[in-house]
Amino acid sequence: MLCILFMGCAVLSEKYKMEEYGRTIDSYETAMRVSDFNVACQYIAPDVLSHEDCMQRYENVKIASYKVLSAKVADDTQKVDLKVEVSYFLLDRYVVKKVQIEQSWQYEEASKRWFLNTVPPDFR
């Protein structure tokens, strides 16, 4: 009986993580699609890139589209790797460009949050 209880808790924990991932990625995608980089940069792990440095990467950028091409969830549900396609233009040039980005999302147990462990590309 105790074994079943532990298995049930593990399943609920996994379910919670993936539900939290769903909320996180929805919020991040929305922020990217509307070019709200202040919100998008809040999802970058602080040890990967500071909020200020992240904001500088998006200084002259407007996102035209953000599309997830593929996703791979690790067996332990602690990590999700995405391939995304971003169409964007620089505000001073108005030429639409596309870039494919590999993103790695990691679940942090201590804060019960998902963080992006990938530096945004250098949009040029």
Side-chain angles (χ1 to χ4, degrees), residues 84-100:
V84 298
E85 182 178 82
V86 177
S87 296
Y88 68 96
F89 60 90
L90 302 179
L91 295 173
D92 60 354
R93 296 198 193 126
Y94 298 109
V95 175
V96 177
K97 298 180 178 185
K98 279 186 186 177
V99 63
Q100 285 191 2

Side-chain angles (χ1 to χ4, degrees), residues 62-98:
K62 176 74 173 163
I63 302 297
S65 72
Y66 178 95
K67 183 167 114 181
V68 175
L69 301 175
S70 65
K72 182 180 179 197
V73 180
D75 290 339
D76 64 359
T77 67
Q78 293 285 104
K79 182 179 176 188
V80 177
D81 291 322
L82 296 180
K83 180 184 251 184
V84 298
E85 182 178 82
V86 177
S87 296
Y88 68 96
F89 60 90
L90 302 179
L91 295 173
D92 60 354
R93 296 198 193 126
Y94 298 109
V95 175
V96 177
K97 298 180 178 185
K98 279 186 186 177

